[in-house]
Amino acid sequence: GRHSALDDMLAAGNLDAVWLVTPEDLHAGQALAVLGAGLPLFLEKPLATTYAEGQAVLAAAEAAGVPLQVGFLLRFEARHAMLRAA
């Protein structure tokens, strides 16, 4: 794989948890890296872009024994509600 800033952060070893808010196609690979480092993860939706990737991420969280939460932070954001109404 390609080396990234995420790899550098994980290698530094001074994190309590990670919050991933990255492009959707990166979610599964980055989540697996974070969970593989044994770190709790908050991942902005979607969990992954395929069922198989989603299952792999869930299995990695269970194996690591750390929390994994998927968020949809802007679901009730007023501007989004106004756009939908329009």
Side-chain angles (χ1 to χ4, degrees):
R2 204 179 77 196
H3 186 81
S4 68
L6 177 62
D7 296 324
D8 291 339
M9 287 188 337
L10 295 175
N14 60 352
L15 301 172
D16 295 319
V18 174
W19 185 343
L20 285 177
V21 186
T22 56
E24 294 175 2
D25 62 324
L26 301 177
H27 284 190
Q30 290 179 339
L32 291 172
V34 171
L35 297 167
L39 291 166
L41 175 61
F42 184 97
L43 178 61
E44 182 60 23
K45 69 155 186 75
L47 175 68
T49 56
T50 69
Y51 178 79
E53 287 178 343
Q55 290 295 101
V57 171
L58 292 175
E62 289 175 359
V66 296
L68 166 64
Q69 181 174 345
V70 178
F72 185 7
L73 298 182
L74 298 178
R75 180 178 219 165
F76 300 107
E77 161 52 54
R79 290 175 293 178
H80 288 234
M82 289 169 43
L83 281 171
R84 184 173 184 186

